């Protein structure tokens, strides 16, 4: 791994899922009785650009509310991470939120952004390296639900390793998956590591539904882009005008679900495979679980973390949690 001359930005560690992995997951998802597609594939280059536009929508309260919390409590959050930290960000996206943390941190030693959306990751970190020329940055393109190793950073001296997982992306997992993800993150970061996690909260249904089905149709374009991606990369034959976006509240599981609803009986090809759709049948493309503070603390404890602090906005729309990885007790 070599460094670029102008900055301390390391070359990308590229573990992007292969086309074959994408194909297998799409075929598996479309073969189920409730058809599904994994939400991680919503983020190709175009999907990431559309997501950035979602973040600016008036209806999409999570981004601006989390930014407000991070701005207001940046000093406390930075203090919980400590000086000379090596910071791993899961699902780093446009890298807007990390700027607030990096500015508040005491001599951050290294930043390791992990994201599945390769081109977006490269562009975001080229920008970040220009803003923080003394910071060692080592981007990793990977699916963070699969095991991966953190890149070695020659010359970067750090005291501790910490995690940052904003955007309520943890809500995309089922509860069991979220426990599994945090347990794996705990093993990756090590005993005593602090993990800062943004978690969206249960709230009025009108506010929730509008956030996932905006008037301008940007979220609809984000959802439908997955079909466009399948057409382009996997020789699919989806006609986008034969599907529509829908956001639903699943009261039992306290989650918003995004679906693509088939507008007619139709057959669609993905390469050599064919899939039948009845009119009204849906593909479930994303879940966004909403939490209560106690419920999330319980989940974190199950994954081996002790909650140390939580910050919220005045309206209790969103929460940012600092969790500490419990010391592993060795059996005597
Ligand atoms: C909801 S967006 C949040 C982006 C940003 N962290 C924020 O707070 O605005 C989710 C981000 O996680 C990335 N992502 C989603 N699933 C992933 C996976 N399985 N592995 C790695 N990155 C993933 C996406 O590419 C996207 O950048």
């Amino acid at each position: 791994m070599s460094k670029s001359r102008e900055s301390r930005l390391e070359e990308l560690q590229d573990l992007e899922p292969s086309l074959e992995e994408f194909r297998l997951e799409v075929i598996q998802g479309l073969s189920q009785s409730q058809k599904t597609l994994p939400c991680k594939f919503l983020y190709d280059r175009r999907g990431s650009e559309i997501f950035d536009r979602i973040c600016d929508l008036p209806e999409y309260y999570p981004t601006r509310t989390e930014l407000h919390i991070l701005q207001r409590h940046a000093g406390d959050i930075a203090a919980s991470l400590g000086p000379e930290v090596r910071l791993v960000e899961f699902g780093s996206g446009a890298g807007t939120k990390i700027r607030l943390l990096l500015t508040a941190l005491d001599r951050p030693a290294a930043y390791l952004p992990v994201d599945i959306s390769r081109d977006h990751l490269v562009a975001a970190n080229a920008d970040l390296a220009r803003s923080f020329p003394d910071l060692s940055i080592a981007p990793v393109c990977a699916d963070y639900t699969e095991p991966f190793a953190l890149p070695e950073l020659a010359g970067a001296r750090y005291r501790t390793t910490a995690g940052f997982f904003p955007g309520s992306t943890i809500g995309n997992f089922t509860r069991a998956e979220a426990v599994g993800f945090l347990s794996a993150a705990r093993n990756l970061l090590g005993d005593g590591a602090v993990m800062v996690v943004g978690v969206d909260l249960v709230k009025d249904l009108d506010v929730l539904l509008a956030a996932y089905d905006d008037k301008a149709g940007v979220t609809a374009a984000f959802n439908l882009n997955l079909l466009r991606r399948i057409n382009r990369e996997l020789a699919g034959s989806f006609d986008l005008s034969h599907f529509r976006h829908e956001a639903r509240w699943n009261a039992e599981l306290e989650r918003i679900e995004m679906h693509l609803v088939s507008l007619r009986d139709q057959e669609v090809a993905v390469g050599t495979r064919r899939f039948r759709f009845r009119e009204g049948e849906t593909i479930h493309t994303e879940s966004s679980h909403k939490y209560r503070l106690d419920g999330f603390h319980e989940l974190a404890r199950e994954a081996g973390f002790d909650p140390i602090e939580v910050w919220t906005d005045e309206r209790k729309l969103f929460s940012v949690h600092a969790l500490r990885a419990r010391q592993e007790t060795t059996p005597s």
Side-chain angles (χ1 to χ4, degrees):
M1 193 182 289
S2 67
K3 280 179 197 170
S4 86
R5 277 220 191 123
E6 307 78 42
S7 71
R8 306 181 67 191
L9 175 62
E10 301 277 338
E11 267 175 28
L12 180 78
Q13 175 171 310
D14 195 354
L15 306 169
E16 186 185 25
S18 67
L19 202 57
E20 186 54 13
E21 286 166 303
F22 179 34
R23 197 180 69 82
L24 287 175
E25 291 206 49
V26 165
I27 291 196
Q28 192 185 30
L30 294 181
S31 304
Q32 292 174 37
S33 54
Q34 166 61 70
K35 294 180 170 64
T36 62
L37 288 169
C39 64
K40 62 189 175 195
F41 293 122
L42 289 164
Y43 298 91
D44 61 353
R45 183 205 293 241
R46 188 163 188 272
S48 292
E49 283 165 10
I50 304 176
F51 180 76
D52 290 346
R53 282 167 48 212
I54 291 176
C55 292
D56 291 333
L57 290 169
E59 294 96 332
Y60 199 72
Y61 66 85
T63 303
R64 62 171 180 278
T65 312
E66 188 177 30
L67 276 169
H68 167 76
I69 297 171
L70 292 174
Q71 247 153 4
R72 188 152 178 205
H73 300 287
D76 288 346
I77 298 171
S80 75
L81 299 178
E84 294 176 60
V85 68
R86 176 176 71 145
L87 190 55
V88 181
E89 182 173 6
F90 300 91
S92 49
T96 313
K97 293 167 188 168
I98 196 66
R99 287 170 183 264
L100 292 174
L101 262 193
L102 288 171
T103 306
L105 278 167
D106 182 3
R107 289 163 291 139
Y111 172 55
L112 285 64
V114 182
D115 205 291
I116 199 166
S117 188
R118 192 177 182 282
D119 296 345
H120 201 56
L121 176 70
V122 169
N125 284 284
D127 264 5
L128 199 75
R130 281 190 283 276
S131 306
F132 296 89
D134 296 330
L135 180 73
S136 290
I137 304 177
V140 181
C141 178
D143 174 354
Y144 52 49
T145 62
E146 298 292 329
F148 68 95
L150 295 176
E152 294 297 328
L153 274 162
R157 283 217 299 273
Y158 54 89
R159 284 200 205 185
T160 51
T161 302
F164 184 41
F165 194 27
S168 203
T169 311
I170 197 158
N172 295 153
F173 295 129
T174 62
R175 191 182 186 286
E177 287 167 349
V179 171
F181 170 83
L182 283 180
S183 305
R186 190 197 167 292
N187 292 336
L188 188 75
L189 302 174
D191 277 356
V194 172
M195 176 103 176
V196 173
V197 189
V199 180
D200 199 11
L201 301 175
V202 173
K203 62 184 61 64
D204 280 358
L205 200 47
D206 293 351
V207 177
L208 279 172
L209 285 172
Y212 292 86
D213 195 4
D214 61 282
K215 283 207 186 96
V218 184
T219 314
F222 176 64
N223 200 4
L224 284 159
N225 180 57
L226 183 48
L227 303 185
R228 190 192 302 272
R229 179 179 187 181
I230 293 171
N231 286 350
R232 190 183 63 245
E233 296 186 20
L234 302 177
S237 69
F238 283 102
D239 182 332
L240 272 60
S241 67
H242 293 170
F243 288 86
R244 75 172 167 81
H245 164 75
E246 189 174 285
R248 299 180 182 167
W249 175 243
N250 181 326
E252 192 192 337
L253 298 173
E254 296 199 314
R255 70 186 192 195
I256 290 282
E257 294 176 357
M258 292 205 317
H259 290 257
L260 290 166
V261 185
S262 175
L263 296 174
R264 55 178 67 186
D265 289 346
Q266 54 183 317
E267 199 173 78
V268 177
V270 178
T272 56
R273 301 289 297 263
R274 300 190 85 75
F275 298 95
R276 283 227 176 89
F277 290 83
R278 281 172 283 105
E279 183 181 345
E281 188 180 355
T282 75
I283 313 173
H284 179 187
T285 50
E286 190 188 74
S287 297
S288 295
H289 292 78
K290 307 301 166 189
Y291 284 96
R292 295 158 204 279
L293 296 179
D294 288 355
F296 186 72
H297 283 165
E298 202 180 299
L299 184 160
R301 283 193 196 94
E302 262 176 60
F305 281 94
D306 290 321
I308 48 178
E309 191 124 23
V310 57
W311 300 273
T312 62
D313 55 295
E314 295 77 8
R315 293 173 62 201
K316 300 268 186 299
L317 294 175
F318 201 91
S319 59
V320 174
H321 298 249
L323 314 169
R324 190 183 305 282
R326 214 174 293 135
Q327 298 282 124
E328 288 271 271
T329 46
T330 38
S332 50

